[in-house]
Amino acid sequence: MTQPALGEGLLTWTPGRGLAPAATAAAMTAVTTDGKLLVADSWLLREGRVRGYGRHRERFLRACADCVGPGPRRLVEFWQSVTAELPRTGEWFPRVELTAATRELRLRLRHAPPLGAEVRLWAAGQPDPRTVPRRKGPDLDALARLRGRATGAGAQEALLVTPTGVVLESATASVLWWEDDTLCLPPPGLSVLPGVTMALVQERAVRSGIRVDHRERTVAELDGREVWLVNALHGIRPVTGWTGESMTAGRATRAAHWRAWLDELWEPLPHS
């Protein structure tokens, strides 16, 4: 198994040859080409260990198949190449990609950004700008612009809402909240991305006998509640502040315990 040099870069995949550095310097150094992506998936990689790696694989392969991308055999071969090339030391936030124009499969190696244990939310619910809300990739540019607006408002994340104001998710994470002893999340019939970490949390709640319910709530109805943003990069981040509206963040009484549980799920990357 070959290992890449410990640096960021873009690797493109060719059947029979595997992954190799992108052909041009511009492609190698480009940070965002999100508007040209059909599918993307990413996860936190820490010292060669990942949470839910197989789930990310299945989500990416399924999304590529839905786009009539490369055939199943090529997708499996690509993923085997990705597994072999991922660094086994350091903290990374790699992303696998399927491009729109050429149906090219790529691996983008990125160092992990600083991780957060909590988050401040922009209380002004934003209309959902996504064109393909159930598939990660095509709308990353639009979501990045939305996060930029949230940052300008003094927050770190923005909530997406339906035309009637029902909470969907944030620009980069699933939204969960607690109502008494019930773990709540948006109904599956809404336009939400199938989050890997959200599924892990939901399954653990069910195994533990905790009631899980899908409920439609507006941003204002989250006032005073324990609200979490959940994704593969940061794990579970309780909302500790709101900006833009007069809202109170509920006490994060459960978050620390659940974060400790999530930290037990790190598993070594499989052998290719």
Side-chain angles (χ1 to χ4, degrees), residues 86-260:
L86 289 173
R88 265 56 178 182
T89 59
E91 286 200 357
W92 299 82
F93 189 43
R95 188 170 75 195
V96 285
E97 305 172 349
L98 174 66
T99 64
T102 61
R103 298 300 199 272
E104 184 178 57
L105 290 163
R106 310 188 303 200
L107 168 63
R108 190 177 296 273
L109 287 175
R110 308 174 295 182
H111 291 295
L115 302 182
E118 57 189 42
V119 65
R120 177 175 291 273
L121 266 181
W122 191 17
Q126 299 299 297
D128 189 353
R130 297 171 296 177
T131 58
V132 191
R134 294 185 185 275
R135 181 176 4 117
K136 187 175 180 180
D139 300 300
L140 291 180
D141 273 348
L143 294 172
R145 289 192 293 270
L146 186 59
R147 282 195 71 213
R149 293 180 60 195
T151 300
Q156 296 161 293
E157 273 286 356
L159 287 178
L160 307 179
V161 298
T162 68
T164 59
V166 174
V167 170
L168 296 170
E169 52 196 331
S170 84
T172 66
S174 305
V175 179
L176 305 173
W177 66 93
W178 291 86
E179 297 185 15
D180 298 323
D181 293 326
T182 300
L183 178 64
C184 302
L185 56 157
L190 297 178
S191 298
V192 293
L193 184 75
V196 168
T197 309
M198 179 183 70
L200 292 172
V201 171
Q202 185 177 354
E203 290 167 11
R204 195 252 183 173
V206 172
R207 290 195 305 270
S208 302
I210 295 171
R211 183 183 179 190
V212 177
D213 199 12
H214 296 87
R215 298 178 181 178
E216 294 189 0
R217 295 290 184 263
T218 64
V219 177
E221 289 174 316
L222 301 183
D223 186 23
R225 300 196 182 280
E226 181 173 356
V227 180
W228 297 349
L229 293 194
V230 177
N231 65 12
L233 177 60
H234 299 283
I236 297 170
R237 286 181 295 170
V239 175
T240 55
W242 295 85
T243 64
E245 298 288 345
S246 180
M247 290 181 59
T248 302
R251 291 184 57 198
T253 58
R254 302 171 179 86
H257 169 74
W258 283 76
R259 284 175 61 87

Side-chain angles (χ1 to χ4, degrees), residues 9-14 17-23 28 85 105-107:
L10 181 66
L11 306 175
T12 60
W13 185 80
T14 304
R17 296 182 181 180
L19 286 160
M28 284 287 290
E85 291 290 340
L105 290 163
R106 310 188 303 200
L107 168 63

